[in-house]
Amino acid sequence: MNNLGAMNNIAISTGLMLVARKIPFDEPQVLVYTRIGYVVAQAIILGAYYYAVAVIKKKNDLTLLKYVEPPNQMTGESSKLVILTVRDYDLYELTKTIRAAFGAIAMMLFLHLYWGYTQPLFQQAILGVKALYDAKELKLHVLGKPAEGDLRRPFKAGGFFSSTHLYCFYIIGAGPQTDAAAIAEAEKKVGPRDEY
């Protein structure tokens, strides 16, 4: 994500915090409307993601995609060669996004029901819809944009202040390598493989 997009996400988050301070969430009617707005936003978000899953399955793009997954710093695993179809890659990426959305919903339910915080419901409803706007899979399969630049597979990792991070509460690592030298080196490590 470019610096302008990261600054835009920071500005939106800060603006939402300032606006949320002005809303009287202790009034019962405001609380009910906030809850309804959050539930509707999450239904729209999950509906859009599951619609994209259906579109991906219907397209059934079986083009092979080769890349080298970066090493995992947490477990000490080395980089590894990944060979997938475009369909499987897109479904895998979208499944990660859907899981993150459910994780964010669980976090919001805990914050709201256990601790009684209402401001995060308001903020996450809006940030979740913004995350839809930034979702690469939706841009490709729902909006029909070509797989060029940032939408080229495998996707580059977003930064700390990407909208996905602000919405889904996780940090994304380094992106995959697609250059021929990295793929050839990873193939040497794996040994000969049968082509799909």
Side-chain angles (χ1 to χ4, degrees):
M1 173 173 271
N2 59 22
N3 290 332
L4 181 61
M7 294 305 294
N8 189 14
N9 289 330
I10 293 171
I12 289 172
S13 297
T14 305
L16 285 174
M17 285 190 285
L18 294 174
V19 169
R21 288 183 182 173
K22 303 289 183 190
I23 299 173
F25 290 114
D26 53 343
E27 292 181 15
Q29 191 170 12
V30 172
L31 181 60
V32 168
Y33 287 140
T34 303
R35 288 175 177 163
I36 290 170
Y38 179 77
V39 169
V40 167
Q42 298 311 310
I44 291 169
I45 291 163
L46 292 174
Y49 289 148
Y50 282 113
Y51 175 72
V53 167
V55 170
I56 291 168
K57 288 181 178 179
K58 184 178 179 185
K59 285 183 180 178
N60 198 26
D61 187 352
L62 299 178
T63 307
L64 282 181
L65 178 66
K66 278 186 179 180
Y67 63 94
V68 178
E69 198 170 81
N72 188 339
Q73 303 297 337
M74 302 294 275
T75 62
E77 291 180 1
S78 62
S79 58
K80 61 181 179 179
L81 178 66
V82 178
I83 302 173
L84 291 171
T85 63
V86 169
R87 175 188 186 271
D88 291 339
Y89 179 79
D90 289 347
L91 288 173
Y92 174 73
E93 290 295 318
L94 201 50
T95 300
K96 286 192 315 189
T97 305
I98 291 169
R99 284 184 185 162
F102 277 118
I105 291 169
M107 176 76 95
M108 287 301 103
L109 288 174
F110 176 75
L111 287 173
H112 181 63
L113 298 177
Y114 187 71
W115 284 341
Y117 293 142
T118 306
Q119 287 182 355
L121 290 180
F122 169 75
Q123 294 169 333
Q124 288 302 100
I126 296 171
L127 288 175
V129 173
K130 183 176 182 324
L132 274 181
Y133 173 76
D134 293 337
K136 294 176 180 177
E137 296 297 340
L138 293 180
K139 287 180 181 178
L140 286 170
H141 297 289
V142 176
L143 300 179
K145 293 189 177 183
E148 301 170 341
D150 286 344
L151 299 179
R152 187 178 180 99
R153 296 173 192 92
F155 302 132
K156 303 269 188 274
F160 182 77
F161 291 108
S162 69
S163 68
T164 304
H165 177 269
L166 292 173
Y167 175 63
C168 302
F169 305 110
Y170 65 92
I171 301 173
I172 304 170
Q177 297 175 323
T178 57
D179 58 296
I183 291 173
E185 183 179 327
E187 284 177 338
K188 286 178 189 175
K189 288 180 185 177
V190 173
R193 280 184 78 121
D194 293 332
E195 287 297 320
Y196 290 90

